Amino acid sequence: MSDILSHFEDGVQTLTINRVERKNALTGAMYTSLADGLEQAAADPKVRVLLLQGDVAVFCAGNDLNDFLNSPPMGADSPVLRFLRALADFPKPLLAAVCGPAVGIGTTMLLHCDLVYAGDNAAFSMPFVNLGLCAEGASSLLLAQLMGHQRAAEALLLGEPFYAEAALEAGLLNKVLPPTEVNGYAQSVARKLAAKPPTSLLETKRLMKQGQQALVQQTIVQEATVFGRMLREPAAKEAFSAFLQKRQPDFSRL
C-alpha cells in the first residue's frame, strides 16, 4: 500500500499520509508524491479543494531520519523544496486535518493551509534548533506573522511542543475536536467549500495572499540554503549522532 494515498470525491482531493508504522515520517519519495498530488490538483479543474490528513494517532513525525541523512535535501529541485513550493503556490482552498504529533515540517506545512482542524491529542513542535538546523518552510516569516514575535521565538528557539488549545489560541487552528471526528469534520468543510463558486474561491484566496507570495517563496529558498549549509556543520552532526546513539547532545565545545 502506498505511503501517500490519494482519493477524489465531490470536488475534494484528499491526500493521506499513510506510513503509520513509522509515525508518518516523510521520505523523499513521499515528498515527491505529495508534490505530484498538489501540482495535479492545482491543474485539474474538477478538483476544487484539497485536504491533507494523517491518522487519528499521528499526523507527521517530520523527516524519516535515515532517508534524510542518506539523501539530504540539497538543491532547488529536491523533493522537499518542490513540495514546499507547490504548497505555498497552491491556488485553491487547502485544508489540513491533524491528530497526534506534528513535528517539524508536520507543523510548518500547516502555515500554508487555509483551514486547519485538529484533534485534542495534537502536539506541534519545530525542533530545528535542537538539531543544529534552522527554520524551514517559510516558518521564520509566517509563524511570527501568525503568533507574534515572542511566541514564534518560543516555538522556534526552544523547539518544545505546544498543544491543541495553545495552537487554537495562537491562530494556527480553526477548531479542536475529538480525534475520531477530525478527518470527517474536515471532509465536511471541504465539501461545503467545493459546492461554492470556484472562481470566487480562487480569486478570494489570490487576493488574500498576493501581498506576500513572492516573499514566502523567497523565504523558503533562503531558509533552505541556510538549512543545507548548517546540515554539514558540527552542531547538526553532533545532534544527529546523539539522536542515533540515544544520548543527550553536547554543544558546549562549538
Side-chain angles (χ1 to χ4, degrees):
M1 185 174 290
S2 174
D3 289 336
I4 303 294
L5 303 179
S6 181
H7 176 75
F8 176 77
E9 186 175 356
D10 297 331
V12 178
Q13 188 74 46
T14 303
L15 299 179
T16 303
I17 307 172
N18 183 50
R19 198 183 180 217
V20 180
E21 74 283 358
R22 296 299 300 272
K23 298 183 180 180
N24 283 349
L26 297 174
T27 63
M30 292 167 72
Y31 280 122
T32 296
S33 295
L34 287 167
D36 287 345
L38 285 162
E39 291 168 359
Q40 290 164 11
D44 188 345
K46 297 189 297 296
V47 177
R48 297 191 173 194
V49 181
L50 189 139
L51 171 64
L52 296 167
Q53 66 181 23
D55 185 74
V56 294
V58 60
F59 178 65
C60 175
N63 288 307
D64 179 282
L65 185 59
N66 288 325
D67 183 83
F68 179 79
L69 293 175
N70 289 331
S71 302
M74 301 298 185
D77 295 325
S78 66
V80 63
L81 263 293
R82 185 174 157 231
F83 166 63
L84 287 170
R85 287 197 302 267
L87 199 65
D89 273 348
F90 193 73
K92 303 173 183 181
L94 179 60
L95 282 66
V98 183
C99 295
V103 180
I105 199 164
T107 292
T108 60
M109 73 170 76
L110 306 177
L111 299 171
H112 301 280
C113 294
D114 302 299
L115 299 169
V116 182
Y117 302 99
D120 56 23
N121 65 340
F124 306 90
S125 62
M126 292 165 285
F128 306 117
V129 166
N130 300 339
L131 294 171
L133 300 170
C134 68
E136 46 92 307
S139 56
S140 62
L141 170 72
L142 296 174
L143 200 69
Q145 290 180 347
L146 180 70
M147 295 183 168
H149 177 82
Q150 281 73 22
R151 283 192 289 187
E154 183 176 46
L156 287 171
L157 299 182
L158 288 174
E160 295 174 351
F162 57 100
Y163 301 95
E165 289 302 327
L168 179 66
E169 193 272 333
L172 180 63
L173 308 178
N174 293 91
K175 193 178 184 68
V176 176
L177 300 147
T180 55
E181 298 178 16
V182 174
N183 287 2
Y185 185 86
Q187 285 282 350
S188 70
V189 175
R191 288 194 296 271
K192 186 185 296 185
L193 286 168
K196 296 183 183 295
T199 304
S200 296
L201 293 173
L202 286 166
E203 288 300 322
T204 300
K205 177 169 178 173
R206 182 184 65 81
L207 290 165
M208 290 174 68
K209 295 219 169 200
Q210 67 175 346
Q212 67 170 17
Q213 276 296 91
L215 179 58
V216 168
Q217 290 288 359
Q218 178 185 342
T219 305
I220 287 173
V221 173
Q222 287 177 336
E223 289 173 345
T225 300
V226 177
F227 191 102
R229 171 175 58 77
M230 297 187 75
L231 192 57
R232 299 187 292 269
E233 293 179 350
K237 291 179 180 178
E238 166 61 14
F240 285 112
S241 294
F243 183 86
L244 293 171
Q245 296 167 14
K246 298 182 180 179
R247 60 174 174 82
Q248 287 295 316
D250 180 6
F251 302 121
S252 62
R253 297 181 182 178
L254 300 181

